[in-house]
Amino acid sequence: MPISHFIILLTSLLCSLGRADVNIVTTIKPLQMIAEAVVQEYGSVSSIVDPQQSPHRFTVSPSDRINLARADMAVWIGPLLETHISDFFVQAGFEAKTITVIDTPGLQLHSIGDGRLDTHLWLDSSNAVQIAKVIAERAAEMDPVNAISYHQNLEKFSSEIESKNLEIAQKFQSPSATKYAVYHNAYQYFEQQFGLQHDMVILQDPEVQPGIRETIALRRQVNDQRPLCLLLEFDSSSDLVDTVLNGHELKQITVDLLGKNVNSSENAYSEFIANLADDFYECLYE
């Protein structure tokens, strides 16, 4: 065997022996997509919440808990969102491998009407970059052999998001006169990042269905505002929507809030945020 071939073979063998794949489990798919951009081929990333389910209410299976327990790193938003599994993340000894996203430094945070934190913070792409930084740092600590790759992937992700933000900002450069409603107030991170504002909200609290008085008030608001578009999610109640609209016809667009229609890849989050922009553009300009 030529010496050059031997060196190549030896280098490849040493790299494979030194490689320590990082196993990351996240709660929701947007966090999975951010982690995938950082880890790429140097680990495995999965999520436990079906993107068709609401992160406010989902069922945790025994296998989900096993996957979280076996993970090298577990990533969740925090107890305000994934309430049904918060007991798992706060158990003794689990904090060391947990990233609680709401504690991430440098996040852009917003509150909803009653002063509670709005937990849909992954919809602001600048937050996604901050989350990616924390994941990259933790992955580098766990797997120092590939630390340079994690940081390089982070830089690539940051540049990609910066470029995507410019594209989206240009898309919404011209003001729209279209009034639009949202099923629940889940989009303000994206809206405030790009200067958009919905005109009404059907469901103030995703955990509580509106009563008769509130429903009547919502019908009046529909008649007053006359929205031309409504942004829905996969789990939106069609019965509630029909009751509130009371015959008012408008364009209805189902938004992929958790990335159900995005395939896993290093570019998944960028595709996800671009799809969200397309949904808003269809609502406001088409």
PDB file of all heavy atoms in Angstrom, residues 16-30:
ATOM      1  N   SER A  16     -12.673   8.463  13.270  1.00  0.00           N
ATOM      2  CA  SER A  16     -13.868   7.711  13.645  1.00  0.00           C
ATOM      3  C   SER A  16     -13.797   7.267  15.098  1.00  0.00           C
ATOM      4  O   SER A  16     -14.800   7.227  15.807  1.00  0.00           O
ATOM      5  CB  SER A  16     -14.044   6.498  12.725  1.00  0.00           C
ATOM      6  OG  SER A  16     -12.974   5.601  12.885  1.00  0.00           O
ATOM      7  N   LEU A  17     -12.562   6.934  15.558  1.00  0.00           N
ATOM      8  CA  LEU A  17     -12.418   6.540  16.952  1.00  0.00           C
ATOM      9  C   LEU A  17     -12.608   7.713  17.898  1.00  0.00           C
ATOM     10  O   LEU A  17     -13.138   7.582  18.993  1.00  0.00           O
ATOM     11  CB  LEU A  17     -11.018   5.933  17.172  1.00  0.00           C
ATOM     12  CG  LEU A  17     -10.779   4.557  16.545  1.00  0.00           C
ATOM     13  CD1 LEU A  17      -9.317   4.168  16.700  1.00  0.00           C
ATOM     14  CD2 LEU A  17     -11.690   3.509  17.163  1.00  0.00           C
ATOM     15  N   GLY A  18     -12.203   8.898  17.466  1.00  0.00           N
ATOM     16  CA  GLY A  18     -12.294  10.074  18.325  1.00  0.00           C
ATOM     17  C   GLY A  18     -13.646  10.734  18.306  1.00  0.00           C
ATOM     18  O   GLY A  18     -13.943  11.583  19.140  1.00  0.00           O
ATOM     19  N   ARG A  19     -14.470  10.353  17.346  1.00  0.00           N
ATOM     20  CA  ARG A  19     -15.757  10.991  17.199  1.00  0.00           C
ATOM     21  C   ARG A  19     -16.727  10.566  18.292  1.00  0.00           C
ATOM     22  O   ARG A  19     -16.869   9.385  18.572  1.00  0.00           O
ATOM     23  CB  ARG A  19     -16.332  10.655  15.824  1.00  0.00           C
ATOM     24  CG  ARG A  19     -17.686  11.246  15.554  1.00  0.00           C
ATOM     25  CD  ARG A  19     -17.986  11.120  14.076  1.00  0.00           C
ATOM     26  NE  ARG A  19     -19.397  11.319  13.807  1.00  0.00           N
ATOM     27  CZ  ARG A  19     -19.894  11.407  12.587  1.00  0.00           C
ATOM     28  NH1 ARG A  19     -19.099  11.319  11.557  1.00  0.00           N
ATOM     29  NH2 ARG A  19     -21.179  11.572  12.398  1.00  0.00           N
ATOM     30  N   ALA A  20     -17.369  11.527  18.928  1.00  0.00           N
ATOM     31  CA  ALA A  20     -18.327  11.228  19.996  1.00  0.00           C
ATOM     32  C   ALA A  20     -19.650  11.887  19.665  1.00  0.00           C
ATOM     33  O   ALA A  20     -19.832  13.063  19.902  1.00  0.00           O
ATOM     34  CB  ALA A  20     -17.795  11.730  21.335  1.00  0.00           C
ATOM     35  N   ASP A  21     -20.526  11.126  19.051  1.00  0.00           N
ATOM     36  CA  ASP A  21     -21.816  11.680  18.653  1.00  0.00           C
ATOM     37  C   ASP A  21     -22.612  12.151  19.862  1.00  0.00           C
ATOM     38  O   ASP A  21     -22.668  11.464  20.883  1.00  0.00           O
ATOM     39  CB  ASP A  21     -22.633  10.640  17.885  1.00  0.00           C
ATOM     40  CG  ASP A  21     -22.075  10.400  16.490  1.00  0.00           C
ATOM     41  OD1 ASP A  21     -21.219  11.187  16.043  1.00  0.00           O
ATOM     42  OD2 ASP A  21     -22.521   9.432  15.863  1.00  0.00           O
ATOM     43  N   VAL A  22     -23.246  13.307  19.722  1.00  0.00           N
ATOM     44  CA  VAL A  22     -24.075  13.867  20.778  1.00  0.00           C
ATOM     45  C   VAL A  22     -25.534  13.541  20.485  1.00  0.00           C
ATOM     46  O   VAL A  22     -26.033  13.808  19.388  1.00  0.00           O
ATOM     47  CB  VAL A  22     -23.882  15.396  20.876  1.00  0.00           C
ATOM     48  CG1 VAL A  22     -24.831  15.988  21.916  1.00  0.00           C
ATOM     49  CG2 VAL A  22     -22.440  15.720  21.243  1.00  0.00           C
ATOM     50  N   ASN A  23     -26.212  12.958  21.458  1.00  0.00           N
ATOM     51  CA  ASN A  23     -27.624  12.612  21.311  1.00  0.00           C
ATOM     52  C   ASN A  23     -28.467  13.691  21.985  1.00  0.00           C
ATOM     53  O   ASN A  23     -28.427  13.835  23.209  1.00  0.00           O
ATOM     54  CB  ASN A  23     -27.893  11.235  21.929  1.00  0.00           C
ATOM     55  CG  ASN A  23     -29.371  10.886  21.940  1.00  0.00           C
ATOM     56  OD1 ASN A  23     -30.147  11.395  21.141  1.00  0.00           O
ATOM     57  ND2 ASN A  23     -29.770  10.032  22.862  1.00  0.00           N
ATOM     58  N   ILE A  24     -29.228  14.459  21.179  1.00  0.00           N
ATOM     59  CA  ILE A  24     -30.038  15.559  21.695  1.00  0.00           C
ATOM     60  C   ILE A  24     -31.515  15.222  21.496  1.00  0.00           C
ATOM     61  O   ILE A  24     -31.926  14.824  20.406  1.00  0.00           O
ATOM     62  CB  ILE A  24     -29.714  16.883  20.977  1.00  0.00           C
ATOM     63  CG1 ILE A  24     -28.236  17.241  21.144  1.00  0.00           C
ATOM     64  CG2 ILE A  24     -30.591  18.021  21.502  1.00  0.00           C
ATOM     65  CD1 ILE A  24     -27.813  18.482  20.382  1.00  0.00           C
ATOM     66  N   VAL A  25     -32.294  15.378  22.551  1.00  0.00           N
ATOM     67  CA  VAL A  25     -33.750  15.221  22.461  1.00  0.00           C
ATOM     68  C   VAL A  25     -34.391  16.537  22.881  1.00  0.00           C
ATOM     69  O   VAL A  25     -34.076  17.080  23.943  1.00  0.00           O
ATOM     70  CB  VAL A  25     -34.255  14.073  23.361  1.00  0.00           C
ATOM     71  CG1 VAL A  25     -35.775  13.975  23.299  1.00  0.00           C
ATOM     72  CG2 VAL A  25     -33.623  12.744  22.944  1.00  0.00           C
ATOM     73  N   THR A  26     -35.280  17.040  22.038  1.00  0.00           N
ATOM     74  CA  THR A  26     -35.998  18.280  22.329  1.00  0.00           C
ATOM     75  C   THR A  26     -37.484  17.973  22.514  1.00  0.00           C
ATOM     76  O   THR A  26     -37.955  16.892  22.135  1.00  0.00           O
ATOM     77  CB  THR A  26     -35.843  19.306  21.192  1.00  0.00           C
ATOM     78  OG1 THR A  26     -36.624  18.889  20.041  1.00  0.00           O
ATOM     79  CG2 THR A  26     -34.385  19.447  20.763  1.00  0.00           C
ATOM     80  N   THR A  27     -38.187  18.918  23.089  1.00  0.00           N
ATOM     81  CA  THR A  27     -39.638  18.735  23.207  1.00  0.00           C
ATOM     82  C   THR A  27     -40.312  19.016  21.861  1.00  0.00           C
ATOM     83  O   THR A  27     -40.906  18.134  21.277  1.00  0.00           O
ATOM     84  CB  THR A  27     -40.212  19.663  24.290  1.00  0.00           C
ATOM     85  OG1 THR A  27     -39.706  20.991  24.099  1.00  0.00           O
ATOM     86  CG2 THR A  27     -39.851  19.159  25.666  1.00  0.00           C
ATOM     87  N   ILE A  28     -40.183  20.235  21.351  1.00  0.00           N
ATOM     88  CA  ILE A  28     -40.887  20.603  20.117  1.00  0.00           C
ATOM     89  C   ILE A  28     -39.940  20.609  18.920  1.00  0.00           C
ATOM     90  O   ILE A  28     -38.734  20.786  19.055  1.00  0.00           O
ATOM     91  CB  ILE A  28     -41.570  21.978  20.256  1.00  0.00           C
ATOM     92  CG1 ILE A  28     -40.550  23.055  20.596  1.00  0.00           C
ATOM     93  CG2 ILE A  28     -42.696  21.916  21.284  1.00  0.00           C
ATOM     94  CD1 ILE A  28     -41.135  24.461  20.629  1.00  0.00           C
ATOM     95  N   LYS A  29     -40.515  20.440  17.735  1.00  0.00           N
ATOM     96  CA  LYS A  29     -39.713  20.306  16.526  1.00  0.00           C
ATOM     97  C   LYS A  29     -38.900  21.558  16.187  1.00  0.00           C
ATOM     98  O   LYS A  29     -37.775  21.428  15.694  1.00  0.00           O
ATOM     99  CB  LYS A  29     -40.596  19.901  15.349  1.00  0.00           C
ATOM    100  CG  LYS A  29     -39.788  19.524  14.111  1.00  0.00           C
ATOM    101  CD  LYS A  29     -40.657  18.989  12.999  1.00  0.00           C
ATOM    102  CE  LYS A  29     -39.822  18.678  11.767  1.00  0.00           C
ATOM    103  NZ  LYS A  29     -40.645  18.175  10.637  1.00  0.00           N
ATOM    104  N   PRO A  30     -39.404  22.786  16.379  1.00  0.00           N
ATOM    105  CA  PRO A  30     -38.551  23.947  16.091  1.00  0.00           C
ATOM    106  C   PRO A  30     -37.223  23.919  16.844  1.00  0.00           C
ATOM    107  O   PRO A  30     -36.186  24.323  16.296  1.00  0.00           O
ATOM    108  CB  PRO A  30     -39.424  25.131  16.524  1.00  0.00           C
ATOM    109  CG  PRO A  30     -40.814  24.660  16.279  1.00  0.00           C
ATOM    110  CD  PRO A  30     -40.790  23.208  16.680  1.00  0.00           C
TER     111      PRO A  30
END
